Amino acid sequence: MLQSMRDNLKGTAAIIVAAFFGFIMVIGGIDFFTGASGGSADQVADVNGEKISNLDLQRAIQNRRSMIESQYGENVPADLLTDEQLRGPVLQQLVNSSVMRQAAMDRGMVMSPTSVDREIVQMPGFQVNGQFDQQMYLNGLRRMGYSPAGFRQLLEQEMVMQQYIGSVADSAFATRAEAEEVVSVSMEERDFDYLTLSAAPLLGDIQLSDAEVQTYYDENQQDFQRPEQVAIEYIELTPEQFAANIDVAEEDLRAQYEQEVKNFQANIRRHAAHILIEGDDEAAQEKVGQVQEKLSGGADFAALAKEYSDDFVSRDEGGDVGFTSGDVFPEAFEDALANLEVGEVSGAVKTEAGTHFIKLIEVADAEPPSFEERKAAIAARLRNAEAEREFVGAISRLGDLAYNAESLAGPAEELGVRVQKSPLFSRQGGAGITAEGKVIEAAFSPEVKEDGNTSDVLDLSENHSVVLKVVDHKPAGVKPLEEVKEQIVERLKRVKASEQLASKAASLKEQAQSGEPLQDLASAEGLTLETSDKTRRGGFGVRGEVVNHVFGMDAPKPGAKNLQQFVLNTGDVVVVQLRDVRAGDLSRQSKEQREALMEQLASMQGAAELAAVQRYLSSKADIELSSVAD
């Protein structure tokens, strides 16, 4: 899995990820949008005149790190998450996104205001209980540092880029000949039999001299290398450590609740549907007149939306565009909606998107909750706020307390927390906190590892800080013989056992080649003959070893069998006879399997074509990388 992760950060996959990255960032609600910072003087790249700042790059690196950690959890090797490892691929994806977005804009691709609004309303990050929440939206933009207008512009750019990507990738197709070729190899079947001569019964009788073990150790020391390792003691601070010991008084809860009620303002949310007629030409005006006439005649609004609306996103839902608190849609739209009664339909309302007929479906009035409903949440908020204050205070004291401390026991006692210790770990990191890049970097720094100093306070996240000392250090080198002797003895015994078994295996193979049934030979030796028909590639463990070897054998001639012997990793020796090989046949697959395969091949072809377009656009673009990115 880890090698797959490394591979996925390179090559074509990286290009495809790069093309989609900007749009994914927006839809996912992550606080980064390519080229949006605009305020950083540290420029890392210029793409056809569009600047990419160092702030853009640092945000993108953090987002990529978060995505990897979210996907793979604690199993991610620490070296995959360092700035040095991520900087190059992430900068390249920013450049790729810029090139693709510019290509889309140059080709005149646009996104209607209604589509952009619809996307915003549907973003999970701006919803409460499945409904768009205006305050959540504004708070989110404020936290990310964007105005509503700026956010909409950036989202529109990313949606246009996605539209361009789709126009390239979705146009690809696969031929039946290509599918037949893939199935011929991937669905190939082989029939074979095999017997196994086990090394285990021989191991107890095999004797090894100390000289043999020493010689193997001396000649194979590359197999017994130990990386440099350290073990640390550390103090870890989080607000949760302090929150558990904080009590909140009833009067404080009451006071906070009364303040909430005092500040509460009823928030009216209106549920709307619309019929949109785009354009202002004669055909559009005729269409507006038809809709107006049918509405006046009592026609069903949802049915008219499906028939006439140019908003392809909402028309199949009867024109339903969800809830608004007054700031989601254009001003004219919101004003008309606010003047409707539930079930009423407006006249023609013009906005930049076109002409709307708007229906008010329902009105939701928010009322203040009771004290009992809010008590737990208020208590948690007050407790967390106090814990945050204690956490900040502890952080400010931690550096001074730990500075030049002989051990961390004293600072830990002073702060009311405990000292924790880690097992030995290498520069590749270990489990838990020793997988953190900052912890690894600090632990292996000369001033901490060699001089015995306490590290600076390391901020692993906004609410997670650590200080550490190295308590054990093992330099890189060869593991001592005593540590690996048992491993060497086991390995040598299995090698000798397989050598002893090789002659018996060769004899069995020769007899089978002479015409004696392998089943009879196995029975005479007290062995079990395993039969495997219609076998396909792959497998795990010993079975996987056997299958992989069989698929490397030449197909037998008609009426003949191909026999071979080979040694497994366990030292066991296998004699196998390959009886038949059949290429995969597309026509033998079900209709659903054929369709799925064609779709998969088309998707792969689309990815390849998209990568080719990306390379072409990049080759034609004027791209300058500054020294800040190096």
Side-chain angles (χ1 to χ4, degrees):
M1 180 189 75
L2 300 183
Q3 185 59 47
S4 174
M5 287 168 54
R6 297 177 192 273
D7 294 342
N8 286 339
L9 293 178
K10 301 181 289 186
T12 302
I15 298 173
I16 304 305
V17 170
F20 284 89
F21 183 79
F23 188 74
I24 293 172
M25 291 300 97
V26 176
I27 300 305
I30 301 178
D31 60 342
F32 167 76
F33 299 88
T34 304
S37 60
S40 174
D42 298 332
Q43 178 180 313
V44 295
D46 184 298
V47 183
N48 293 326
E50 180 179 297
K51 314 298 181 185
I52 298 177
S53 74
N54 190 46
L55 178 58
D56 293 330
L57 178 59
Q58 293 305 315
R59 282 177 169 175
I61 288 173
Q62 181 55 43
N63 285 330
R64 171 60 75 87
R65 184 180 293 116
S66 297
M67 290 169 67
I68 294 174
E69 289 175 337
S70 174
Q71 184 172 2
Y72 295 100
E74 296 182 355
N75 294 323
V76 185
D79 64 328
L80 281 183
L81 301 179
T82 63
D83 283 3
E84 292 74 16
Q85 177 74 22
L86 296 176
R87 182 176 288 109
V90 169
L91 178 59
Q92 185 61 55
Q93 78 184 17
L94 296 185
V95 171
N96 290 342
S97 291
S98 180
V99 169
M100 296 292 281
R101 187 170 53 255
Q102 291 175 27
M105 303 297 285
D106 290 345
R107 284 156 178 76
M109 289 186 170
V110 295
M111 194 63 58
S112 71
T114 300
S115 296
V116 178
D117 289 336
R118 178 75 171 177
E119 196 62 58
I120 291 174
V121 171
Q122 292 180 338
M123 286 184 180
F126 299 147
Q127 293 184 350
V128 175
N129 297 326
Q131 299 292 338
F132 178 80
D133 186 276
Q134 179 71 13
Q135 194 58 50
M136 183 77 73
Y137 170 63
L138 296 175
N139 289 343
L141 297 192
R142 190 178 303 112
R143 185 175 61 255
M144 294 185 286
Y146 296 102
S147 66
F151 178 84
R152 291 187 79 265
Q153 181 182 10
L154 291 168
L155 177 57
E156 180 181 2
Q157 291 176 354
E158 298 301 325
M159 292 175 69
V160 167
M161 183 181 74
Q162 177 70 3
Q163 186 180 50
Y164 177 66
I165 289 171
S167 71
V168 176
D170 295 346
S171 63
F173 62 92
T175 65
R176 184 178 179 86
E178 291 171 330
E180 289 175 341
E181 183 177 355
V182 169
V183 170
S184 174
V185 176
S186 64
M187 298 294 184
E188 179 184 303
E189 294 180 345
R190 296 194 168 204
D191 300 338
F192 60 93
D193 310 305
Y194 68 98
L195 56 82
T196 303
L197 303 175
S198 176
L202 305 178
L203 299 180
D205 296 329
I206 295 176
Q207 301 299 317
L208 295 171
S209 67
D210 291 340
E212 288 178 290
V213 175
Q214 183 68 53
T215 299
Y216 187 89
Y217 174 74
D218 293 339
E219 294 178 352
N220 296 274
Q221 292 201 352
Q222 71 278 2
D223 295 339
F224 308 116
Q225 294 293 319
R226 176 178 59 207
E228 182 182 20
Q229 294 177 305
V230 296
I232 61 172
E233 65 174 13
Y234 60 95
I235 295 174
E236 185 176 20
L237 294 181
T238 64
E240 289 76 18
Q241 290 173 299
F242 301 97
N245 298 320
I246 295 174
D247 293 323
V248 181
E250 180 77 10
E251 55 267 27
D252 292 334
L253 294 175
R254 291 281 180 184
Q256 184 64 33
Y257 174 74
E258 293 301 328
Q259 186 63 41
E260 282 191 4
V261 173
K262 183 178 179 181
N263 294 336
F264 184 86
Q265 294 181 351
N267 182 20
I268 299 178
R269 299 189 305 131
R270 293 179 173 85
H271 188 180
H274 79 148
I275 299 171
L276 172 65
I277 310 299
E278 293 182 342
D280 198 28
D281 55 16
E282 184 176 343
Q285 291 303 315
E286 182 180 352
K287 195 174 180 182
V288 168
Q290 292 174 359
V291 172
Q292 180 70 72
E293 182 179 353
K294 292 190 176 184
L295 285 171
S296 299
D300 179 68
F301 187 92
L304 292 178
K306 291 181 180 180
E307 181 179 356
Y308 286 96
S309 182
D310 291 326
D311 181 358
F312 69 92
V313 175
S314 69
R315 65 188 178 196
D316 290 337
E317 303 297 327
D320 191 334
V321 290
F323 282 86
T324 174
S325 296
D327 296 316
V328 174
F329 305 114
E331 184 177 356
F333 189 110
E334 295 284 3
D335 288 344
L337 182 63
N339 289 319
L340 294 175
E341 298 293 333
V342 174
E344 188 178 4
V345 179
S346 73
V349 177
K350 290 190 175 183
T351 70
E352 292 181 0
T355 302
H356 307 260
F357 293 94
I358 305 165
K359 180 177 181 179
L360 178 60
I361 298 174
E362 63 176 307
V363 175
D365 298 318
E367 298 293 339
S370 67
F371 174 72
E372 291 302 323
E373 291 173 327
R374 291 292 300 152
K375 183 176 180 179
I378 294 174
R381 187 169 73 247
L382 293 179
R383 187 179 297 109
N384 290 339
E386 181 59 29
E388 286 280 355
R389 285 190 287 271
E390 292 192 18
F391 169 73
V392 171
I395 291 296
S396 64
R397 297 174 60 201
L398 179 59
D400 294 334
L401 292 170
Y403 183 71
N404 283 338
E406 288 296 323
S407 78
L408 296 180
E413 184 178 359
E414 184 76 17
L415 295 173
V417 296
R418 64 189 181 93
V419 178
Q420 301 181 68
K421 294 185 178 181
S422 79
L424 287 164
F425 62 95
S426 70
R427 293 178 187 269
Q428 300 302 309
I433 201 167
T434 59
E436 294 281 351
K438 290 183 178 180
V439 170
I440 297 168
E441 183 179 359
F444 283 92
S445 65
E447 57 270 22
V448 175
K449 179 188 67 177
E450 298 167 11
D451 299 340
N453 294 331
T454 304
S455 73
D456 293 334
V457 177
L458 309 176
D459 295 325
L460 304 185
S461 68
E462 184 178 352
N463 292 317
H464 188 190
S465 298
V466 171
V467 68
L468 62 89
K469 284 180 70 71
V470 169
V471 294
D472 193 9
H473 174 226
K474 292 188 181 299
V478 181
K479 297 176 183 178
L481 177 58
E482 293 74 18
E483 187 175 330
V484 298
K485 184 175 181 179
E486 186 175 333
Q487 175 185 346
I488 293 175
V489 169
E490 176 72 14
R491 188 178 301 179
L492 288 177
K493 283 188 173 184
R494 289 192 176 277
V495 169
K496 289 195 172 188
S498 64
E499 291 172 351
Q500 293 179 25
L501 295 171
S503 59
K504 179 182 287 188
S507 175
L508 292 172
K509 186 181 72 170
E510 290 174 4
Q511 294 177 67
Q513 287 174 331
S514 299
E516 292 192 44
L518 195 58
Q519 174 65 66
D520 294 346
L521 294 172
S523 298
E525 294 292 336
L527 302 173
T528 300
L529 184 69
E530 303 285 349
T531 296
S532 185
D533 291 334
K534 298 182 179 179
T535 307
R536 292 181 180 173
R537 300 174 189 272
F540 301 94
V542 171
R543 168 72 178 178
E545 279 191 74
V546 173
V547 171
N548 288 339
H549 185 90
V550 168
F551 271 85
M553 296 170 63
D554 293 334
K557 295 178 181 179
K561 298 174 182 177
N562 185 2
L563 282 108
Q564 287 189 10
Q565 70 183 76
F566 58 94
V567 180
L568 298 174
N569 291 332
T570 59
D572 297 345
V573 178
V574 172
V575 177
V576 63
Q577 64 176 12
L578 176 59
R579 292 182 275 108
D580 193 17
V581 175
R582 294 178 298 281
D585 186 350
L586 182 63
S587 64
R588 288 164 51 195
Q589 309 304 311
S590 68
K591 178 182 178 183
E592 291 75 15
Q593 289 175 321
R594 291 195 299 272
E595 290 176 349
L597 175 62
M598 297 297 284
E599 288 179 5
Q600 184 178 10
L601 291 177
S603 177
M604 294 169 62
Q605 182 67 23
E609 292 180 7
L610 184 60
V613 170
Q614 174 68 70
R615 289 193 295 270
Y616 172 78
L617 293 174
S618 295
S619 71
K620 297 298 182 181
D622 183 9
I623 300 173
E624 295 182 10
L625 303 180
S626 70
S627 58
V628 177
D630 298 335

